[in-house]
Amino acid sequence: MTRRVLIVTHGGRPDAVATVRDAVRELEGAGFSVALHDDDLAEGFGNAGLPIDVVRSAERVEEVEMVLVLGGDGTILRAAELTHGTSVPLVGINLGHVGFLAESDRDELSEVVARLAAGDYAIEARQTVDVAVHQPGVDEPIHGWALNEATVEKAGRARMLEVAVEVDGRPLSSFGCDGVVMSTATGSTAHAFSAGGPVVWPDVDATVLVPISAHALFARPVVVGPDSVLAVEVAPTSSSGGVLMCDGRRQVDLPVGSRVEVRRGSDPVLLARLASGPFTDRLVNKFRLPVVGWRGRHRGNEGGTR
C-alpha cells in the first residue's frame, strides 16, 4: 500500500516554493507519494517539470497518512480545517516567526521526513471548542469550532462593544470592551496571551475567557473546567454589533442581541510530536525566555537544590 503525505503551505511566502521542492524530494526518497493542497503552487510545480497531485478540498484528506505543514501557525490553523474530524495527524515545519504549533524548523526537514517514514513520533490530541451562534430572529444557530480561540470582537473601531458574560447558565459580569477571547489551552499562547491571559499547559482540559480592553473593575481572565459552557451576549444596550472570529479565519456577524456559546469540542485536532521534551522547554525556546541563574536539582540529592 502506498504511503501518502499531503503538503499544506503558505503560497505567499518566498521561501515556500524552495521548501516544498525539497520536501517533495525528501518524501519521495523515503517512499511516500505526495499531494499538495495549494492550487497556485501546484500549477507552478507542474510548469517547472515537477508534476504533483493536487487536493482541492478536504474530501480526500483521509486518504493520506500525514499532513505536512510548511509555514507558521496561521498555515497550521488552515491545515487543521482539513484534518478536523478525521484521524489524520498534522506536523508543522516553521517558516514563520514564533511558530508555536510547529514541531520543527526548516533546517530539520530531512530529520522530520526520516522520523515520519520510521513512524517515530507520538500523536497528541489537542482539544478544540465547539461554537454556537444564536442571532436574533433566526431559529437555527450557526455552528462552528476552533482549535485556538473563538473571539467576540467589536465590528467597528469607533465604538465599544457592550457584552454580558455567562458561565454555566449564570451571569458573571457585563461591561464595555473591545472584545472577549474564549480560548483552548492550545490557544492560550496566541490571541488570549496577547490580551493578558494566562499560559495554560496543553494537557490541561480547560477553557480560558479573556476580556480585551474592558471598562470594568472586574474583568479578569477566568479559567473554567471541561464541562463548563461559556456564553457572551451582545447586550441590547450595545451601540453596535460585533463579529465572531474562529481561529482568526472563520467569521460570523453578531447583530445586537446575538449570543455566542462555547463548550468543549467533540473532535480534537491531532498533532504529530517528534520532540520528547516538556512544554516548559517549548515555552522557553519559542518566547526566548531568560533562564539565567537556574541551576536545577543537585544530582544525587533529589531532596534539595544547590
Side-chain angles (χ1 to χ4, degrees):
M1 180 177 178
T2 303
R3 303 176 69 185
R4 188 170 173 82
V5 169
L6 174 65
I7 295 177
V8 176
T9 191
H10 191 315
R13 295 193 61 87
D15 51 351
V17 173
T19 305
V20 170
R21 187 183 299 277
D22 291 342
V24 171
R25 184 182 305 111
E26 294 277 357
L27 287 165
E28 290 182 342
F32 291 101
S33 66
V34 183
L36 184 63
H37 194 271
D38 188 298
D39 296 357
D40 294 337
L41 274 180
E43 291 171 4
F45 277 111
N47 294 336
L50 181 60
I52 188 167
D53 190 17
V54 180
V55 174
R56 301 180 184 274
S57 69
E59 295 177 359
R60 294 175 55 197
V61 169
E62 294 197 65
E63 300 175 2
V64 306
E65 179 178 328
M66 179 75 62
V67 173
L68 177 65
V69 185
L70 307 176
D73 284 347
T75 311
I76 292 177
L77 292 173
R78 178 160 66 89
E81 293 177 351
L82 302 175
T83 63
H84 180 242
T86 76
S87 60
V88 179
L90 59 86
V91 61
I93 294 184
N94 184 35
L95 302 182
H97 299 291
V98 176
F100 212 94
L101 291 171
E103 185 67 13
S104 303
D105 292 321
R106 168 68 181 84
D107 57 2
E108 300 171 300
L109 175 61
S110 296
E111 178 186 353
V112 170
V113 172
R115 297 274 300 271
L116 296 182
D120 183 16
Y121 55 85
I123 299 296
E124 185 174 283
R126 289 296 184 96
Q127 192 57 53
T128 59
V129 289
D130 288 337
V131 184
V133 179
H134 301 266
Q135 296 172 322
V138 180
D139 293 334
E140 294 296 324
I142 300 171
H143 292 283
W145 69 280
L147 171 60
N148 268 359
E149 74 279 311
T151 305
V152 174
E153 304 175 5
K154 61 182 184 180
R157 297 182 60 183
R159 298 179 182 273
M160 283 194 306
L161 187 67
E162 298 286 339
V163 300
V165 175
E166 172 191 297
V167 179
D168 296 329
R170 302 301 301 165
L172 178 67
S173 188
S174 58
F175 42 77
C177 61
D178 285 349
V180 179
V181 182
M182 290 166 283
S183 162
T184 64
T186 297
S188 71
T189 52
H191 196 172
F193 175 81
S194 65
V199 174
V200 182
W201 263 234
D203 59 348
V204 177
D205 196 356
T207 307
V208 181
L209 184 146
V210 186
I212 305 173
S213 302
H215 288 239
L217 287 176
F218 182 81
R220 295 297 184 184
V222 296
V223 182
V224 300
D227 297 325
S228 286
V229 179
L230 300 175
V232 174
E233 295 183 353
V234 181
T237 56
S238 186
S239 59
S240 64
V243 61
L244 169 73
M245 297 294 295
C246 291
D247 287 338
R249 295 184 50 80
R250 301 173 295 279
Q251 176 176 324
V252 178
D253 289 334
L254 301 175
V256 171
S258 295
R259 175 182 173 89
V260 177
E261 297 176 350
V262 171
R263 51 177 43 85
R264 188 180 192 271
S266 54
D267 294 313
V269 169
L270 305 182
L271 302 181
R273 286 301 185 202
L274 308 179
S276 58
F279 179 72
T280 308
D281 291 350
R282 178 180 292 270
L283 198 67
V284 169
N285 292 335
K286 293 294 184 179
F287 286 144
R288 296 183 173 88
L289 301 179
V291 291
V292 176
W294 180 78
R295 303 180 71 186
R297 182 173 293 172
H298 189 282
R299 293 180 182 177
N301 179 13
E302 296 299 319
T305 58
R306 306 191 268 183

